[in-house]
Amino acid sequence: MKRTAMRTDLAVEIQELHKVEEKDGFSEEEYSAKGISVSRVKITGEQAALKLSKPIGEYVTVDLGESFSDEETHQNAVEVTSSEISRLLYGEKKTEETVPDVLVVGLGNRQMTSDAVGPVTVDRILVTRHIKNNMPQLYEQLGLNPVSAMSPGVLGQTGIEAFEMVKSVCDAVKPSAVIVIDALASRKMNRLCRTVQISNTGISPGSGVGNRRSEISRETLGVPVISIGIPMVVDAVTLTTDTIEMALEKIKKELSAGNPEIVSAFSAFEEYDGGDIIRNTLSPFDMNLVVTPKDIDRLTEKCAGLLAIALNKALHGGLEEEEIAALLGL
Amino acid sequence: MKRTAMRTDLAVEIQELHKVEEKDGFSEEEYSAKGISVSRVKITGEQAALKLSKPIGEYVTVDLGESFSDEETHQNAVEVTSSEISRLLYGEKKTEETVPDVLVVGLGNRQMTSDAVGPVTVDRILVTRHIKNNMPQLYEQLGLNPVSAMSPGVLGQTGIEAFEMVKSVCDAVKPSAVIVIDALASRKMNRLCRTVQISNTGISPGSGVGNRRSEISRETLGVPVISIGIPMVVDAVTLTTDTIEMALEKIKKELSAGNPEIVSAFSAFEEYDGGDIIRNTLSPFDMNLVVTPKDIDRLTEKCAGLLAIALNKALHGGLEEEEIAALLGL
Amino acid sequence: MKRTAMRTDLAVEIQELHKVEEKDGFSEEEYSAKGISVSRVKITGEQAALKLSKPIGEYVTVDLGESFSDEETHQNAVEVTSSEISRLLYGEKKTEETVPDVLVVGLGNRQMTSDAVGPVTVDRILVTRHIKNNMPQLYEQLGLNPVSAMSPGVLGQTGIEAFEMVKSVCDAVKPSAVIVIDALASRKMNRLCRTVQISNTGISPGSGVGNRRSEISRETLGVPVISIGIPMVVDAVTLTTDTIEMALEKIKKELSAGNPEIVSAFSAFEEYDGGDIIRNTLSPFDMNLVVTPKDIDRLTEKCAGLLAIALNKALHGGLEEEEIAALLGL
Amino acid sequence: MKRTAMRTDLAVEIQELHKVEEKDGFSEEEYSAKGISVSRVKITGEQAALKLSKPIGEYVTVDLGESFSDEETHQNAVEVTSSEISRLLYGEKKTEETVPDVLVVGLGNRQMTSDAVGPVTVDRILVTRHIKNNMPQLYEQLGLNPVSAMSPGVLGQTGIEAFEMVKSVCDAVKPSAVIVIDALASRKMNRLCRTVQISNTGISPGSGVGNRRSEISRETLGVPVISIGIPMVVDAVTLTTDTIEMALEKIKKELSAGNPEIVSAFSAFEEYDGGDIIRNTLSPFDMNLVVTPKDIDRLTEKCAGLLAIALNKALHGGLEEEEIAALLGL
């Protein structure tokens, strides 16, 4: 079947679905550090951006592996995530001058477990901007960086686009960089709650689950925007389409040995765009059904915890993890 | 494809999957009251019980329709649900003597949103057994029935089978009937959070999602057991298998017009047991992936609210809804 | 003892502590509607404002009575609260022209039960501004008013003053009025979760619990600001001072009959400023200890529920309560 | 004033209020380990038991100090708490034979933040009894001890006394020891969320906040019962009485210098039983008002976390903290 039904926010998955080459302005690099696999996808040309429907920029994917059942993996994943955030935030060379005032934004709906990872992460960020203003000596002494945070809520609860809210606060607070955290949709179940995507392209409208509005990016906010996301759901249409495809592949292999008419039947099949039929079959629920791990409540907590430690580390480089925890009262 | 992959707790769905006839000891009756559709499936013979892998007894299914967006439908659904519970609990003729001491049991894991509807319902049940013991005059004056309640938790959190815990408390409290409330799995997405199943067969091990243990029933507890469930999840394998089947049906129709070899390809297909392939494709996640409505958090609250009102009405027939709410402090 | 230790956000309580007269620019009016007692305190003169340390404006106090255990009282309290909100919002004569675009703001810390009533109320407000923008026909057809909402969080969690955040969003969204909802401190335990204060003066810094910052008012936002609050805590110093005073009064009466030296001892006592001693005794906990009802979790839900219904009624006058609930999906 | 109003669950506080001597069968020992102060009160004689209204047995109090803001203190407090639990559970000499099957019971109301520490702790206990039954090899290999757990809820929510529920489950599960965890009331604010009391006397009815029923103890269950509690509230009457007393003491000192009639006034005062007057002043709220830290939500989490780590360590001595966390999926 044709692939018109795919919904994913992950650059690594989009690229699996489309043919894109170096000459289009595309590169991919993989490395493993402390047992944690990382992929860095760079879109540098308009051609690649068009083919992938993704803005020019860098997309880093960190594989969390067994972080939530193995303490050592957890620590390594935190470290790798934190250093990738730092690299995109500060550039390769971090200096006194490159340490920005950061506004951290938790996107998503706090009341919907599968969408809450942004606000829950933000709850655990060590904010310090007010300490700078109100207790400058303590601030100096602790060697803090100015960090502020907000969770703008979702359109259905506020009547205000997240972008509008972030833009107006950004204009008032004047950070030198913005970090947005959001729940993503992935195509593969084995990426759920196991992958962090970090990019310097902001969050583009229309990508992913399709309910994002105006873009939150350097273009619209006027300062660098780093976006961090963890896939929390697989869209039901995508799951079904993918599974059908994989199942058909196996069935075809088993059934068609020496059976030419079946081969031809399957070719007709492959030309067929199954997305609409599946969408109709799932309708009217397709937009509102999600596939999640059973223990999504617990996993949201775990993912937010990991992201918050990695972010606090990246934002408050001078502090030990324990000092941050103590300041947070965690 | 063959239907070996289906997981459902709903009698109405099981029966769609198997051929069962009146002579097997099976009957089905449908009616509509105040715009609420109700189905009453009765398994009276061993043959039907075997074919459906469901114990002998009655299974009532109430279609909640638009109960969570239309106040009038909500009230009607409460009334119908309540009167079906009453009928199974008291028999057709309710007399002073038939009003039992009831122990209400909320099964499932309170920390897992999609499994929490039992405990959350129990939180809203008006319990009165202690009033009878401690304030007999007030008890008499309000015309209460003795109701107690418990949420035994799940095996992974207690190390104790729900059945063991219910059985031992039951032996101590000596109710004359037990009502168990549980989250169910359905096959059809449009039944999610929209259907209540009420039965007098207890909860059988092995039915449904497959993580239930020893049976909670009249046989094991020694008193009548009414079980009430609402489907909160669709199992991912089931969803995929079902969608494939429906999609294939449509594709077949469109593609095979005047195309005999495609017809024959599809016949081979239909003989094929797709369940294993799909399970393998989804593996190792099939047991831990669930398909839920996006707003499962809100819907769990709504479903528990509806069940609690219906149950309180059935258990405390002498009280107005407002009196119950006031006594509950809701 | 002298009254330097009192902390209260309620105008009716401040006025009990200070002598203020009509010629200072002060008036008080009480009425009862449907069994609900209402007090309207008006500060019209600088003199009264100074004496009471409260800005010029109107302060309405609605006594909720037994609203959370009696359904009829609840409905009456909702109606009276709603109509007092309307009066302050629209003026005595509501016309098409006077219906404003309203931004509803939930102040306070969502993670701290005793401070969460603002955000929890906002979660239940029917927001419609985005419907106007995205589905103008539906908006027209339902006869909605444009309402938006936000919960800016608290300084310790965001690093941004609530005022800064509200001001910047207000500048972007350009509502014609703002309603702020907040948890208050009262002096009297019997006002906890039983009183609503509505005023048209905004929220002044330094009043109440003392952790509010820059004023949110017509002066700072440029549009009318209605503030609504419910007392959720009694400050521990205030409780102790008050109880001592009341207890001493009774003890004095009983002990001093025909006992002149005791009378004189008590006079010395009355001149004494006990606040500091009590504060020192409670220190270092005085700022962080609160006296709350045991079931504050439940009462926060109930108070937020009542406020939300009253507000939705005031903001969406054309809709029935059931229609609002359905649109909210509640 | 006389001390009739005091409510406390802490042996160390009760003993401050009453004169009890060695010859009554009473001893107290204090030590400090790793900077953590511990007090061991032993009631060995009937005389002391009567005077203190506390059953014969040992009461250990661990001072948690700055455990929630200093990581090292936290670890030391966990270790000391864990080893005191072990000592009371296993005796001074722990052998293979003394390792019991333990049932851990979380008392209190999960929905009331200030009462929830028991159930929240139980949620984090590593239960293993079912692993022994269902996966004996894994159980053997990990070197686990059989642990089960339950949270029986409170009378108002279940209609069943916690004791009844625990007793019946205990009869079925047949543990060789029971550990009960509960929220306590203390008299001193600086003990709130900073003190753990561990005793081998079970939980006696009538002690503490006064809403406990039938005793959960070795006498009633037939196996050793260790009770663990953390003070989460100060009763409002107690706080007020205590503060008045302390404040009066200071006032008296300052006012009465060379003022004999004031001295005599105060003596009259001291003979006076202020409890009733204060209770009347606070009435009808005295039973339902509690004094808690503002951030009780966060502190309940922290206290439950600390207790769970200490308990898991005591119950699963062979496992590292990380192994326990991994098995728990935390």
Side-chain angles (χ1 to χ4, degrees):
Chain A
M1 287 178 298
K2 283 186 195 161
R3 305 297 198 100
T4 60
M6 295 300 144
R7 286 190 201 155
T8 171
D9 295 311
L10 297 182
V12 287
E13 293 189 340
I14 290 171
Q15 157 218 352
E16 289 165 7
L17 297 170
H18 301 275
K19 271 191 188 129
V20 63
E21 296 165 83
E22 219 179 304
K23 70 173 166 52
D24 297 329
F26 175 86
S27 72
E28 188 180 6
E29 184 192 333
E30 290 187 10
Y31 76 94
S32 175
K34 307 190 170 205
I36 303 297
S37 303
V38 181
S39 143
R40 293 177 181 170
V41 167
K42 282 180 196 158
I43 301 179
T44 52
E46 288 297 343
Q47 204 59 22
L50 253 169
K51 285 191 178 175
L52 301 176
S53 312
K54 278 281 191 190
I56 284 175
E58 181 167 353
Y59 303 84
V60 179
T61 311
V62 179
D63 183 342
L64 302 178
E66 302 303 318
S67 286
F68 302 139
S69 59
D70 180 74
E71 182 57 22
E72 205 187 320
T73 309
H74 189 274
Q75 277 174 17
N76 293 338
V78 162
E79 217 159 292
V80 171
T81 303
S82 187
S83 83
E84 287 290 341
I85 295 170
S86 286
R87 191 177 57 85
L88 290 185
L89 187 60
Y90 308 118
E92 298 288 349
K93 281 183 201 161
K94 182 180 167 182
T95 64
E96 282 283 307
E97 287 73 46
T98 59
V99 175
D101 289 27
V102 176
L103 170 63
V104 183
V105 178
L107 296 177
N109 186 342
R110 187 188 282 281
Q111 333 274 21
M112 220 178 258
T113 308
S114 62
D115 201 35
V117 76
V120 177
T121 303
V122 155
D123 289 345
R124 301 174 183 194
I125 295 298
L126 177 62
V127 297
T128 48
R129 180 175 171 267
H130 59 308
I131 303 179
K132 189 180 182 185
N133 297 344
N134 303 344
M135 292 172 280
Q137 278 188 319
L138 176 70
Y139 182 87
E140 204 66 42
Q141 182 192 320
L142 290 169
L144 299 170
N145 296 333
V147 171
S148 54
M150 69 183 292
S151 292
V154 292
L155 188 61
Q157 289 183 326
T158 62
I160 306 171
E161 300 278 4
F163 166 73
E164 273 183 284
M165 194 122 39
V166 173
K167 170 74 177 157
S168 62
V169 172
C170 203
D171 288 351
V173 169
K174 299 199 194 334
S176 53
V178 168
I179 294 177
V180 290
I181 305 160
D182 202 1
L184 304 179
S186 78
R187 205 186 123 206
K188 295 263 177 77
M189 293 145 301
N190 58 5
R191 289 207 174 95
L192 282 184
C193 305
R194 291 182 67 137
T195 292
V196 178
Q197 175 174 281
I198 310 157
S199 96
N200 56 10
T201 64
I203 285 194
S204 315
S207 74
V209 194
N211 50 11
R212 306 288 171 226
R213 308 306 170 94
S214 317
E215 183 178 296
I216 298 177
S217 68
R218 180 192 275 262
E219 281 64 45
T220 59
L221 296 187
V223 295
V225 175
I226 307 296
S227 63
I228 302 176
I230 292 199
M232 304 303 290
V233 299
V234 172
D235 160 72
V237 176
T238 303
L239 172 75
T240 315
T241 314
D242 252 21
T243 311
I244 289 178
E245 183 131 330
M246 289 183 281
L248 282 183
E249 202 53 41
K250 291 189 196 173
I251 295 170
K252 181 175 155 187
K253 218 174 275 171
E254 294 198 30
L255 288 184
S256 57
N259 216 338
E261 70 272 17
I262 282 191
V263 175
S264 103
F266 273 105
S267 334
F269 211 79
E270 273 150 27
E271 287 307 301
Y272 200 80
D273 184 348
D276 276 347
I277 282 184
I278 291 167
R279 244 191 310 277
N280 288 338
T281 309
L282 291 173
S283 174
F285 302 96
D286 63 321
M287 293 301 288
N288 294 311
L289 273 187
V290 290
V291 186
T292 65
K294 248 190 199 174
D295 54 348
I296 180 80
D297 305 78
R298 186 183 72 84
L299 284 168
T300 297
E301 286 292 320
K302 304 309 290 176
C303 289
L306 188 148
L307 282 189
I309 300 175
L311 264 165
N312 283 326
K313 220 174 154 77
L315 295 172
H316 303 290
L319 298 180
E320 294 297 312
E321 207 168 301
E322 280 77 26
E323 293 176 291
I324 293 172
L327 283 164
L328 274 168
L330 286 181
Chain B
M1 287 178 297
K2 283 188 194 158
R3 306 298 198 103
T4 60
M6 296 299 143
R7 287 189 200 155
T8 172
D9 294 310
L10 296 182
V12 286
E13 293 189 341
I14 290 171
Q15 156 218 352
E16 288 164 8
L17 298 170
H18 301 274
K19 271 191 189 129
V20 63
E21 297 165 81
E22 219 179 306
K23 69 170 167 54
D24 297 329
F26 176 88
S27 72
E28 188 179 6
E29 183 192 334
E30 291 187 9
Y31 76 93
S32 176
K34 308 192 169 200
I36 304 296
S37 303
V38 181
S39 144
R40 293 176 180 172
V41 166
K42 281 180 198 159
I43 300 179
T44 53
E46 287 298 342
Q47 206 59 23
L50 253 170
K51 283 191 180 173
L52 301 175
S53 313
K54 278 280 192 191
I56 285 175
E58 181 168 354
Y59 303 83
V60 179
T61 310
V62 179
D63 184 343
L64 302 178
E66 302 301 318
S67 286
F68 303 137
S69 58
D70 180 74
E71 182 56 24
E72 205 187 320
T73 309
H74 190 275
Q75 276 174 17
N76 294 338
V78 162
E79 217 159 292
V80 171
T81 303
S82 188
S83 84
E84 286 291 341
I85 295 171
S86 286
R87 189 177 57 84
L88 290 185
L89 187 61
Y90 308 118
E92 298 287 349
K93 280 184 200 156
K94 182 180 167 184
T95 65
E96 282 282 308
E97 287 73 45
T98 59
V99 174
D101 289 25
V102 176
L103 170 65
V104 183
V105 178
L107 296 177
N109 186 344
R110 187 187 281 282
Q111 333 274 20
M112 221 178 257
T113 309
S114 61
D115 201 36
V117 75
V120 177
T121 304
V122 156
D123 290 345
R124 300 173 182 193
I125 295 299
L126 177 61
V127 298
T128 48
R129 179 175 171 267
H130 60 307
I131 304 179
K132 189 180 184 187
N133 297 343
N134 303 344
M135 293 172 281
Q137 279 188 319
L138 177 69
Y139 183 87
E140 204 66 42
Q141 181 192 320
L142 290 169
L144 299 170
N145 296 333
V147 171
S148 54
M150 69 184 292
S151 292
V154 293
L155 188 60
Q157 289 182 325
T158 63
I160 306 171
E161 298 278 4
F163 165 72
E164 274 184 282
M165 196 126 31
V166 174
K167 171 72 176 157
S168 62
V169 172
C170 202
D171 288 350
V173 168
K174 299 199 196 332
S176 54
V178 168
I179 294 178
V180 289
I181 306 158
D182 202 2
L184 305 179
S186 79
R187 206 187 122 206
K188 295 264 177 76
M189 291 145 302
N190 58 5
R191 290 207 174 94
L192 283 183
C193 305
R194 293 181 66 136
T195 292
V196 178
Q197 175 173 280
I198 310 158
S199 97
N200 56 9
T201 64
I203 286 196
S204 315
S207 75
V209 194
N211 50 11
R212 304 288 172 229
R213 308 307 170 93
S214 317
E215 183 178 295
I216 298 177
S217 68
R218 180 192 276 261
E219 281 64 45
T220 59
L221 296 187
V223 295
V225 175
I226 307 295
S227 64
I228 303 176
I230 293 200
M232 304 303 290
V233 299
V234 172
D235 160 73
V237 175
T238 304
L239 171 75
T240 315
T241 314
D242 253 19
T243 311
I244 289 177
E245 184 132 332
M246 290 182 280
L248 283 183
E249 202 54 42
K250 291 191 197 171
I251 295 170
K252 182 174 154 185
K253 214 174 278 170
E254 295 198 28
L255 288 185
S256 56
N259 218 336
E261 71 272 17
I262 283 190
V263 174
S264 103
F266 273 105
S267 335
F269 212 78
E270 272 150 27
E271 286 309 298
Y272 200 81
D273 183 347
D276 277 347
I277 282 183
I278 290 166
R279 243 191 310 278
N280 289 337
T281 309
L282 289 173
S283 172
F285 302 96
D286 62 321
M287 293 300 288
N288 294 310
L289 274 187
V290 290
V291 186
T292 65
K294 247 191 200 173
D295 55 348
I296 180 80
D297 306 78
R298 186 182 72 85
L299 283 168
T300 297
E301 286 292 320
K302 304 310 291 175
C303 290
L306 187 148
L307 283 188
I309 300 174
L311 265 165
N312 282 327
K313 219 175 155 76
L315 295 171
H316 303 289
L319 299 180
E320 294 296 315
E321 206 168 303
E322 280 78 24
E323 292 176 293
I324 293 172
L327 282 165
L328 275 168
L330 285 181
Chain C
M1 288 178 295
K2 285 188 194 157
R3 305 300 196 100
T4 60
M6 296 299 143
R7 285 190 200 155
T8 172
D9 294 311
L10 297 181
V12 286
E13 294 189 340
I14 290 171
Q15 156 218 353
E16 288 165 7
L17 298 170
H18 301 274
K19 270 190 190 129
V20 63
E21 296 165 81
E22 221 180 304
K23 69 171 169 49
D24 298 328
F26 176 87
S27 71
E28 189 180 5
E29 184 192 333
E30 291 187 9
Y31 76 93
S32 175
K34 309 192 169 201
I36 304 296
S37 304
V38 181
S39 144
R40 293 178 181 170
V41 166
K42 282 179 198 159
I43 300 180
T44 52
E46 287 298 342
Q47 205 59 23
L50 252 169
K51 283 192 178 173
L52 301 176
S53 313
K54 279 280 192 191
I56 285 175
E58 181 168 353
Y59 303 84
V60 179
T61 312
V62 179
D63 184 343
L64 302 178
E66 302 301 318
S67 286
F68 303 138
S69 57
D70 180 74
E71 183 57 23
E72 205 188 320
T73 308
H74 190 275
Q75 276 174 17
N76 293 338
V78 162
E79 217 159 294
V80 171
T81 303
S82 188
S83 83
E84 287 289 341
I85 294 171
S86 287
R87 190 178 56 84
L88 290 185
L89 188 60
Y90 307 119
E92 299 287 349
K93 281 184 201 160
K94 183 179 168 184
T95 66
E96 282 283 308
E97 287 74 45
T98 60
V99 174
D101 290 25
V102 176
L103 170 64
V104 183
V105 178
L107 296 177
N109 186 343
R110 188 189 280 282
Q111 333 274 21
M112 221 178 258
T113 309
S114 61
D115 201 36
V117 76
V120 178
T121 303
V122 155
D123 290 345
R124 301 173 181 192
I125 295 299
L126 177 60
V127 296
T128 48
R129 179 175 172 268
H130 59 307
I131 304 179
K132 188 180 184 186
N133 297 343
N134 303 344
M135 292 172 282
Q137 279 188 319
L138 177 70
Y139 183 87
E140 204 66 41
Q141 180 191 319
L142 290 169
L144 299 170
N145 297 333
V147 171
S148 55
M150 70 183 291
S151 292
V154 293
L155 188 61
Q157 289 183 325
T158 62
I160 306 172
E161 300 278 3
F163 165 73
E164 273 183 285
M165 196 125 33
V166 174
K167 170 73 176 156
S168 61
V169 173
C170 202
D171 287 351
V173 169
K174 298 200 194 333
S176 54
V178 168
I179 293 178
V180 289
I181 306 159
D182 202 2
L184 304 180
S186 78
R187 207 187 121 204
K188 295 262 177 77
M189 292 145 301
N190 57 4
R191 290 206 175 95
L192 283 184
C193 305
R194 293 181 67 137
T195 293
V196 178
Q197 175 174 279
I198 310 157
S199 96
N200 57 9
T201 62
I203 285 196
S204 316
S207 74
V209 195
N211 51 9
R212 305 287 172 227
R213 307 308 169 91
S214 318
E215 183 178 297
I216 298 178
S217 67
R218 180 193 276 261
E219 280 67 45
T220 59
L221 296 188
V223 295
V225 175
I226 307 295
S227 63
I228 302 176
I230 292 200
M232 303 304 289
V233 299
V234 172
D235 160 72
V237 175
T238 303
L239 171 75
T240 315
T241 313
D242 253 19
T243 312
I244 289 177
E245 183 132 330
M246 289 184 280
L248 283 183
E249 202 55 41
K250 291 191 197 170
I251 295 170
K252 182 173 152 185
K253 217 175 276 170
E254 294 199 30
L255 288 185
S256 57
N259 216 337
E261 69 272 21
I262 283 190
V263 175
S264 103
F266 272 105
S267 339
F269 211 78
E270 273 150 28
E271 286 308 300
Y272 200 81
D273 183 348
D276 277 345
I277 282 183
I278 290 166
R279 243 191 311 276
N280 288 338
T281 309
L282 290 173
S283 172
F285 303 96
D286 62 321
M287 293 301 288
N288 295 311
L289 273 188
V290 290
V291 186
T292 65
K294 248 190 199 173
D295 55 347
I296 180 81
D297 305 78
R298 186 183 72 85
L299 284 168
T300 297
E301 286 293 319
K302 303 310 290 176
C303 289
L306 188 148
L307 282 189
I309 301 174
L311 264 164
N312 283 326
K313 221 175 153 77
L315 295 171
H316 303 290
L319 299 180
E320 293 298 312
E321 207 168 303
E322 280 77 24
E323 293 175 293
I324 293 172
L327 283 165
L328 275 168
L330 285 181
Chain D
M1 288 178 296
K2 282 185 196 161
R3 304 300 197 99
T4 60
M6 295 300 143
R7 285 191 202 154
T8 172
D9 295 310
L10 296 181
V12 288
E13 293 189 341
I14 290 171
Q15 157 218 351
E16 289 165 6
L17 298 170
H18 301 275
K19 271 192 189 130
V20 62
E21 295 165 82
E22 220 179 304
K23 70 173 168 50
D24 297 330
F26 176 87
S27 72
E28 187 179 9
E29 184 192 333
E30 291 187 10
Y31 76 93
S32 176
K34 306 189 171 206
I36 304 297
S37 304
V38 181
S39 143
R40 293 176 180 170
V41 166
K42 282 180 197 158
I43 301 179
T44 53
E46 287 298 343
Q47 206 58 24
L50 253 169
K51 284 192 178 173
L52 301 176
S53 312
K54 278 280 192 190
I56 285 175
E58 182 169 353
Y59 302 84
V60 179
T61 311
V62 179
D63 183 342
L64 302 177
E66 302 302 318
S67 286
F68 302 139
S69 58
D70 180 74
E71 183 56 23
E72 205 188 320
T73 308
H74 190 276
Q75 276 174 17
N76 293 337
V78 163
E79 217 159 292
V80 170
T81 303
S82 188
S83 82
E84 287 290 340
I85 295 171
S86 287
R87 190 176 59 83
L88 290 184
L89 187 60
Y90 306 119
E92 298 287 350
K93 280 182 204 161
K94 182 180 168 183
T95 65
E96 282 283 308
E97 288 74 46
T98 58
V99 175
D101 290 26
V102 176
L103 170 63
V104 183
V105 178
L107 296 177
N109 186 342
R110 191 188 278 282
Q111 333 275 20
M112 220 178 258
T113 309
S114 61
D115 201 35
V117 76
V120 177
T121 303
V122 155
D123 290 345
R124 300 174 183 193
I125 295 299
L126 177 61
V127 297
T128 49
R129 178 175 172 268
H130 60 306
I131 303 179
K132 190 180 182 185
N133 298 342
N134 303 345
M135 293 171 281
Q137 278 188 319
L138 176 70
Y139 182 87
E140 204 65 43
Q141 182 191 320
L142 289 170
L144 299 171
N145 297 332
V147 171
S148 54
M150 70 183 292
S151 293
V154 294
L155 188 59
Q157 289 183 325
T158 62
I160 306 171
E161 299 277 4
F163 166 73
E164 274 184 283
M165 195 126 32
V166 174
K167 170 73 176 156
S168 62
V169 172
C170 202
D171 287 351
V173 168
K174 300 202 194 333
S176 53
V178 168
I179 294 177
V180 290
I181 305 160
D182 201 1
L184 305 179
S186 77
R187 206 187 123 207
K188 294 263 176 76
M189 293 144 301
N190 58 4
R191 290 207 175 94
L192 283 183
C193 305
R194 291 182 68 137
T195 292
V196 178
Q197 175 173 280
I198 310 157
S199 96
N200 56 9
T201 63
I203 286 196
S204 316
S207 74
V209 194
N211 51 10
R212 305 289 171 224
R213 307 307 170 93
S214 317
E215 182 178 296
I216 298 178
S217 68
R218 180 192 278 262
E219 280 65 45
T220 58
L221 296 187
V223 294
V225 175
I226 307 296
S227 64
I228 303 175
I230 292 199
M232 303 304 289
V233 299
V234 173
D235 159 74
V237 175
T238 303
L239 171 75
T240 316
T241 314
D242 253 19
T243 311
I244 289 177
E245 184 130 332
M246 289 183 279
L248 283 183
E249 202 53 43
K250 291 189 197 171
I251 295 170
K252 181 174 154 185
K253 216 174 275 171
E254 293 197 31
L255 287 185
S256 56
N259 217 336
E261 70 274 17
I262 283 189
V263 175
S264 103
F266 273 105
S267 333
F269 212 78
E270 273 150 27
E271 286 309 299
Y272 201 81
D273 183 348
D276 276 347
I277 283 184
I278 291 166
R279 244 190 312 275
N280 289 338
T281 309
L282 290 173
S283 173
F285 303 96
D286 62 322
M287 293 301 288
N288 294 311
L289 272 188
V290 289
V291 186
T292 65
K294 248 191 199 173
D295 54 348
I296 181 79
D297 305 78
R298 186 182 72 85
L299 284 168
T300 297
E301 286 293 320
K302 304 308 291 176
C303 288
L306 188 147
L307 282 188
I309 300 174
L311 264 165
N312 283 328
K313 218 175 155 78
L315 295 172
H316 302 290
L319 299 180
E320 294 297 313
E321 206 168 302
E322 280 77 25
E323 292 176 293
I324 293 171
L327 283 164
L328 275 168
L330 285 181

